[in-house]
Amino acid sequence: MQRFALLGAGFIGSVHAANLAAHPDVDFRLVFDVDQDRAKTLAVNHGARAAADLAEVFNSAVIDAVFIASSTDTHAGHLRRAAKAGLAVLCEKPIDLDLGQARETAAFAARHAVPVMVDFNRRFDRDYAELKRIVDAGEIGEVELIQLTSRGPAMPPLSYIATSGGQMRDQTVHFFDLVRWLTGADPVEVFATGSALAEPRLAEYGDVDTSVVSLRLPGGALVQIDCARRTGYGYDERIEIMGSEGMAEAGRHRAGAVSRYYSGKVVDDGMHPGWFERVQPTYAAALAHFVAALENGSATDGGVAFAPSLDDGLKAQAIAEAATLSLGTGRTETIQY
């Protein structure tokens, strides 16, 4: 049984709180948020208690692991404090918006040898796991071309955009991680182009809402990722991998599987209304993986790996940094890991 504290009681914190409370091997003890009333409400709803301060949270006598789901600007500080206290950490991405600070924080955690996993939850999508199995088994031969799509239903508020780090760091970064995971290779070059079509005011933040990113893998295989913040038809996410001997595809998910047949037309169920509805099961699956790793030991002694690791988080972020640079320069950029 792992004793958990949750840092952050906002929307994503509430998602993690429900999963923590439901997991049979988790003793969900504490919730901390700078908004004490919000922390108390979330804690009461899930059988935990609101921590009065961070000293309660970072106490290895009563807590084994912390789930960092607070605002992005707090991730690095919380991760360092957890590492110093000898606590295991499951951390929302990114480690820090500044790649240099993220690298220093990861090195600090590594020196303290605590288990850390970055919550790139899409690795735990059932369909994407099957794609990885197919690629790893060589069923489609050598990977030559990959197409990934991430299209959100509506623009987030500009207040969110202002602190998000931009589309490459906030949205596309999940797919940079998926590329590395699915292929087992680190992209070497990136070219990104984009426009502010749904929200022209994004230009004031040096950001875009519609983009296409091209990556080159070490062996010459190519990757294309198209991202949009606003579709008008729901959330659309899918991956296609073409190999030398075949192709595998994880198609778009519809909200239902009912087709209605009429004279001259067929009406199908539409897309999920938002990204969360599409990926919701992956959050519980990621938590289950992390808890299993804590309960059964790390991969080095025959257990479950703490992956995505801090190194995975840093590499996805390095790709995002190079892609953001490319948006500004209009040139292909070498990725600096």
Side-chain angles (χ1 to χ4, degrees):
M1 185 71 70
Q2 300 295 319
R3 302 168 298 175
F4 265 82
L6 173 66
L7 292 158
F11 168 72
I12 203 63
S14 68
V15 172
H16 296 315
N19 290 331
L20 286 165
H23 196 292
D25 293 323
V26 167
D27 177 3
F28 184 23
R29 293 197 167 190
L30 296 174
V31 177
F32 178 82
D33 193 277
V34 291
D35 184 333
Q36 276 286 296
D37 289 337
R38 188 164 68 173
K40 288 176 182 176
T41 299
L42 188 63
V44 168
N45 288 343
H46 296 288
R49 182 173 63 81
D53 54 42
L54 288 172
E56 281 193 79
V57 171
F58 298 110
N59 181 357
S60 60
V62 294
I63 296 296
D64 301 308
V66 296
F67 200 141
I68 300 175
S70 48
S71 60
T72 297
D73 60 345
T74 66
H75 290 186
H78 289 334
L79 180 50
R80 284 173 175 268
R81 194 161 175 179
K84 194 172 181 179
L87 301 176
V89 180
L90 179 53
C91 185
E92 277 289 334
K93 64 85 184 165
I95 302 164
D96 190 272
L97 274 176
D98 182 273
L99 182 55
Q101 289 293 329
R103 284 172 172 156
E104 289 180 12
T105 300
F108 182 89
R111 288 196 297 272
H112 285 77
V114 293
V116 182
M117 186 174 122
V118 178
D119 196 22
F120 276 124
N121 54 295
R122 280 171 175 79
R123 289 194 185 196
F124 300 92
D125 182 274
R126 182 186 62 186
D127 293 349
Y128 298 163
E130 177 62 8
L131 282 185
K132 180 165 176 60
R133 186 201 65 77
I134 290 168
V135 170
D136 288 350
E139 293 182 14
I140 58 172
E142 295 296 319
V143 171
E144 296 179 346
L145 184 65
I146 306 177
Q147 170 69 48
L148 304 93
T149 291
S150 171
R151 300 175 186 169
M155 280 293 304
L158 285 175
S159 58
Y160 173 85
I161 294 293
T163 59
S164 70
Q167 190 177 50
M168 297 298 109
R169 299 184 183 98
D170 178 53
Q171 182 181 5
T172 322
V173 69
H174 285 283
F175 299 85
F176 296 149
D177 178 68
L178 283 174
V179 167
R180 293 189 58 253
W181 178 63
L182 288 168
T183 64
D186 292 330
V188 294
E189 292 180 341
V190 59
F191 174 77
T193 187
S195 300
L197 301 176
E199 176 50 89
R201 288 179 293 175
L202 283 179
E204 299 172 16
Y205 300 92
D207 197 10
V208 299
D209 54 48
T210 308
S211 62
V212 176
V213 177
S214 297
L215 300 167
R216 181 181 295 274
L217 299 182
L222 300 175
V223 179
Q224 179 168 284
I225 306 171
D226 72 87
C227 284
R229 291 284 198 183
R230 183 266 291 135
T231 64
Y233 62 87
Y235 185 70
D236 187 355
E237 180 174 315
R238 55 193 189 274
I239 301 176
E240 178 184 289
I241 306 177
M242 189 187 81
S244 56
E245 299 175 17
M247 190 267 285
E249 178 184 26
R252 53 166 59 97
H253 282 209
R254 297 186 183 274
V258 175
S259 297
R260 303 152 186 84
Y261 290 80
Y262 304 99
S263 177
K265 66 179 179 180
V266 178
V267 179
D268 291 328
D269 288 324
M271 312 297 288
H272 288 293
W275 63 270
F276 178 69
E277 290 81 2
R278 165 64 179 83
V279 304
Q280 183 177 5
T282 65
Y283 286 106
L287 173 65
H289 179 89
F290 181 67
V291 173
L294 292 175
E295 292 281 286
N296 302 322
S298 70
T300 56
D301 52 20
V304 180
F306 290 102
S309 65
L310 284 172
D311 187 58
D312 291 323
L314 292 175
K315 286 184 173 180
Q317 193 169 345
I319 301 170
E321 290 298 314
T324 302
L325 179 61
S326 177
L327 274 176
T329 65
R331 300 191 301 263
T332 296
E333 300 290 344
T334 300
I335 301 166
Q336 303 292 334
Y337 297 106

